Amino acid sequence: MASLVNRVDETEKLGPIPANDGDGGYRPSASEPFMNPRQLEYFRGKLLQWKDAILLEAQGTLSQLQTESLREADLTDRASSETDWSIELRTRDRQRKLISKIDAALRRIEDGEYGYCEVTGEPISLARLEARPIATMTVEAQERHERHEKVSRED
């Protein structure tokens, strides 16, 4: 079961899949028109690769759940295994939610809304989209949103 814990730790570190280098190492640049067809294709590829990696990981977890059972005779070992599986399943649940955000970003690409803040309508920086391709707000709008949420929670 230690391998499961290591896989969970690796998954936590994954974050967005590295750049989509299928286009000769292309990276979007501020010197070109914002969200031109090449940039859109770059981000579409990046999102699809990320989604495929998540689905592949989820399939591995499902296969492991079906083939392995909790056979530990020792109660402590069994509790440890159950905790490991709980962490793994919680990770999969977060990734399930992430897939819906990836799908929403892909829809925004199709609708021509990708890369623009849903609050202000301003372009989201390429650096932010590179780091978080599912971003829907500029850094400033996100910070305002989070401050507002924090104030709302404290009330």
Side-chain angles (χ1 to χ4, degrees):
M1 197 45 81
S3 64
L4 178 62
V5 172
N6 292 341
R7 271 192 30 224
V8 170
D9 290 343
E10 290 169 14
T11 303
E12 292 291 326
K13 297 175 195 169
L14 270 181
I17 295 299
N20 174 8
D21 292 335
D23 194 9
Y26 169 77
R27 290 245 196 230
S29 162
S31 64
E32 57 188 324
F34 188 72
M35 287 303 125
N36 65 61
R38 191 170 186 196
Q39 285 183 355
L40 289 171
E41 193 54 41
Y42 170 83
F43 285 111
R44 178 184 289 114
K46 188 170 184 141
L47 288 161
L48 289 171
Q49 284 180 344
W50 193 9
K51 181 178 176 178
D52 289 346
I54 291 169
L55 291 173
L56 184 63
E57 184 77 20
Q59 186 58 44
T61 299
L62 184 60
S63 296
Q64 201 170 5
L65 274 171
Q66 291 171 341
T67 58
E68 291 184 18
S69 63
L70 295 173
R71 295 186 199 128
E72 291 86 354
D74 183 66
L75 287 178
T76 305
D77 289 343
R78 185 177 184 109
S80 177
S81 292
E82 288 176 0
T83 300
D84 291 346
W85 278 115
S86 174
I87 292 168
E88 178 77 7
L89 293 173
R90 222 178 1 224
T91 300
R92 294 298 148 245
D93 188 51
R94 280 195 309 272
Q95 289 183 334
R96 179 186 54 79
K97 294 172 186 171
L98 182 57
I99 286 175
S100 69
K101 291 180 180 183
I102 291 171
D103 288 339
L106 290 167
R107 277 191 304 277
R108 286 194 308 276
I109 288 174
E110 296 305 316
D111 295 342
E113 298 171 0
Y114 184 80
Y116 295 93
C117 180
E118 66 182 13
V119 175
T120 65
E122 296 173 7
I124 300 171
S125 74
L126 290 173
R128 178 162 170 76
L129 290 171
E130 189 72 46
R132 187 158 179 82
I134 58 173
T136 59
M137 291 185 248
T138 61
V139 172
E140 296 80 14
Q142 184 70 42
E143 286 172 348
R144 279 192 307 271
H145 175 73
E146 289 172 5
R147 274 194 305 271
H148 178 68
E149 269 188 349
K150 183 179 179 185
V151 169
S152 296
R153 270 184 293 186
E154 291 173 355
D155 290 344

